[in-house]
Each structure stands twice: as structure tokens, then as C-alpha cells.
Amino acid sequence: MRIDRRTFIAGVAAASTFAITGRASAATTLKVAHSSPEDSLIQQALVKFKADVEKSTGGSVKVTIFANGLLGDEGPVCEQVGDGSIDMGLGGVIDAIDPRMSVVSLPFLFDSFAKVHTVLDGPVGKEIYAMAPPKGYEIIGALDSGFRSFTNSKHPIEKPADMAGLKMRTPPIPVAIETIKTLGALPQAIPYGEVYTSLQSGVVDGAEPELRDFYDAKWYEAQKYLSLSNYMWMANWWYANKAKLDSLSPTERKAVTDAATATQGWYRTAIADSYAGVIAKLKEKGLQVNPVDTAPFAAMVGPVYETFSKEYGADLVKSVRDAAAKA
């Protein structure tokens, strides 16, 4: 029997309400949702988080993980965390919180994980995290979605002219769409859960994925070329419904946020260590892999910075660029 997704989500929400109203005698359950596969590094991180929370609270707080887009793609999950039907989510589509959070994904802003983490852990990161509480959210971490490169089924991308006319999937994130368009390709905003079939059916020629997602979701099965550009870093923002966090006891709340911080630290090491292995595995799968001289591409993206300086605020863009340059 097929269960309608809305009915399923409503049932989960009802169960959560019962858990909260019966809290004196029952554990509080935190529902966390994401779009990555069940064998992904994101899922491994959340399994660690679950174990840490349940151990440190003595079982008074339970964590239930919904992987693989079961409760919706990234945008809908973010909206549902806002209305309280889901307690936590991860993803890069955070317009429901504040589109300005995507300022850290401006093109060619970072060239290493270390620099990204230095900026996120500093004053600029605090400024970005502070955008969430007024909207009813709290950012409890940022798990690297990672650096994004170019893939396609037509030819290697070695110079900007190679992008011309390619239909490239992008996430529905304005800075990614605008960057791909500026580089000469035809951006197609497609939700994460629809990418595999879009590549397989030829709706798009290629994508600009993070390598771990590209491998975990098996998108390589519909692509021939991987061009290592690292043109953009993106976050899997880890956010929670603020009212739900505030409903926990101080001890429970601290256990949750401490577990999130520890998980973020574990994940940062794990993803950095995994990149060389992922590239090797993709070559074994038959992908033709080539390095990209990014200088000609980076020279083209001035208009992107101009556009988003107007949209995000020139002072915010400048502070992020300055922090990245100093990191």
C-alpha cells in the first residue's frame, strides 16, 4: 500500500506532538531530515550525532534520522523545520531562513577547506549564524557540502569556451545559477532528488556537483567527464527549529549543541580525507578526469559579485571576501 507523503509527514508530526505533551514520562524525539543517500558521509555524521545525543542525555532525547529526501527535498525540508513539522534539517537551500547565508558560496572565494572553516568559525560565521534566530531557526553547524566541479557527457571542460551551450544542472540556489550562466553554460535548477534521472534522460548535459555527493548518489553513471575546478564551496547548513531547541531542558539543549559541534569536527576531517579516494574511485568507474586552470574562469565572475553585492549587501560581501583573503 502506497502512503501519501503528506499523510506520512502529518503522522510524524502528530507523533512528535504526543512526545512533547507526554514529556514527563517519555523521551523527546528530534526528527532530522536530509537529502543525501543512506550510505553517505552526511548520514554517517548524523548517526554519530544520534549516538552522542542519546548517550549524553541518558535517552531523554532521542534522534530519528530521515535520509534520502524521505521528508522532501532541501527547500521543503527547510520550510518544514520553520513550521515545526520537522525539528532539524541539512542542506544548501536555505532561502526560508535567509538567502544571504549563501554569501560564502560566491565563486572562487575559497581554495581550501581550512580557509572555509577559519571564516565560518570567526566573526563572519557568527554574523551569518545570527541571521537564523529572527526567522525561528538556529544554526547548529555547517557540514561541508564541499567544493563543486564540472561534469558532463559531451567533452572535457578545460577553458571557459567549453562551457558554451551546455545544459548544466545547478541546485536551486541563485548564486550557483548566476555563476554557471556567467561562465557561458545554460543553468537548469533541478532539486537534488531529481538529478540522477535528469542526467540519465539527457534533460541536462552535466552538473556542477560536490564530489562526495556525485559518487554517493551514483550520478557518475550518466556522465563521462569530470573537470576538477573547485569553482564554489557550499555548505550543508545544519539548522534546527529554535522553539524545539528552547523546549529542551538546559542540560539537554547543551548535549544537543555539544554533539553537533563534535560531529562537525569529525565530519571536517572525514570529508577532507575522503577526496583523494573519491577521485580514484570515479576514475575506476570510467570517468575521464582532468584538472582545470581556474584563472580564466575566475576572471569572468566579476558580474556575479556585483549582482550579489546588491542583493546580499556590499558590506557583507566585502567582509566575507576580506576574511577569505586573510584566512
Side-chain angles (χ1 to χ4, degrees):
M1 180 178 69
R2 182 179 178 87
I3 299 176
D4 179 79
R5 174 174 282 179
R6 293 182 180 177
T7 302
F8 176 73
I9 292 172
V12 172
S16 175
T17 300
F18 176 83
I20 292 172
T21 56
R23 186 174 167 199
S25 59
T28 296
T29 299
L30 297 177
K31 304 181 299 297
V32 55
H34 66 93
S35 294
S36 297
E38 291 186 352
D39 59 353
S40 66
L41 200 61
I42 288 289
Q43 177 72 359
Q44 291 176 43
L46 290 177
V47 168
K48 171 180 169 52
F49 170 73
K50 170 184 169 70
D52 288 353
V53 168
E54 295 180 356
K55 179 179 180 181
S56 60
T57 64
S60 69
V61 178
K62 302 285 189 181
V63 177
T64 304
I65 305 166
F66 298 90
N68 209 28
L70 180 62
L71 300 188
D73 221 302
E74 293 182 350
V77 163
C78 191
E79 293 170 0
Q80 290 173 72
V81 171
D83 68 29
S85 55
I86 301 174
D87 303 309
M88 292 182 178
L90 289 97
V93 184
I94 39 70
D95 283 2
I97 305 175
D98 196 317
R100 294 176 299 161
M101 291 172 61
S102 294
V103 68
V104 291
S105 295
L106 285 165
F108 305 105
L109 185 61
F110 300 106
D111 60 12
S112 72
F113 285 116
K115 291 184 179 181
V116 173
H117 300 156
T118 295
V119 171
L120 287 179
D121 294 344
V124 168
K126 291 180 180 178
E127 181 179 357
I128 292 171
Y129 283 28
M131 296 174 184
K135 300 293 183 66
Y137 296 80
E138 187 165 325
I139 307 299
I140 60 172
L143 302 188
D144 300 77
S145 176
F147 286 97
R148 306 177 78 83
S149 287
F150 305 133
T151 72
N152 77 100
S153 59
K154 303 294 185 182
H155 51 249
I157 295 173
E158 299 174 333
K159 56 187 182 301
D162 296 329
M163 298 280 285
L166 287 178
K167 293 179 291 182
M168 299 287 284
R169 180 268 173 176
T170 70
I173 297 173
V175 67
I177 295 168
E178 190 66 25
T179 299
I180 292 300
K181 182 171 68 174
T182 299
L183 293 177
L186 305 174
Q188 311 289 314
I190 296 173
Y192 184 96
E194 300 174 20
V195 176
Y196 184 93
T197 55
S198 296
L199 292 170
Q200 191 176 50
S201 65
V203 169
V204 289
D205 301 311
E208 41 72 88
E210 185 274 325
L211 296 186
R212 285 243 40 126
D213 278 349
F214 184 68
Y215 183 78
D216 290 340
K218 296 182 170 54
W219 295 351
Y220 58 80
E221 293 179 350
Q223 299 283 265
K224 295 181 181 179
Y225 305 97
L226 167 61
S227 302
L228 298 172
S229 60
N230 287 350
Y231 89 102
M232 176 185 288
W233 178 89
M234 282 190 182
N236 268 304
W237 296 108
W238 191 356
Y239 48 84
N241 179 279
K242 189 176 186 303
K244 183 62 178 249
L245 282 187
D246 290 344
S247 75
L248 303 176
S249 73
T251 300
E252 290 171 339
R253 197 185 199 287
K254 185 176 187 301
V256 169
T257 55
D258 284 354
T261 299
T263 298
Q264 177 180 267
W266 173 87
Y267 183 89
R268 285 177 174 181
T269 298
I271 193 170
D273 290 347
S274 73
Y275 259 52
V278 168
I279 292 171
K281 289 177 182 178
L282 288 170
K283 288 180 178 178
E284 291 173 2
K285 298 294 185 182
L287 267 287
Q288 295 186 36
V289 181
N290 67 280
V292 176
D293 176 6
T294 60
F297 294 83
M300 297 174 64
V301 298
V304 177
Y305 278 83
E306 292 176 11
T307 295
F308 288 96
S309 289
K310 295 174 183 175
E311 186 164 334
Y312 297 159
D315 290 345
L316 176 62
V317 171
K318 184 179 185 304
S319 67
V320 172
R321 295 185 83 172
D322 288 347
K326 294 174 183 177

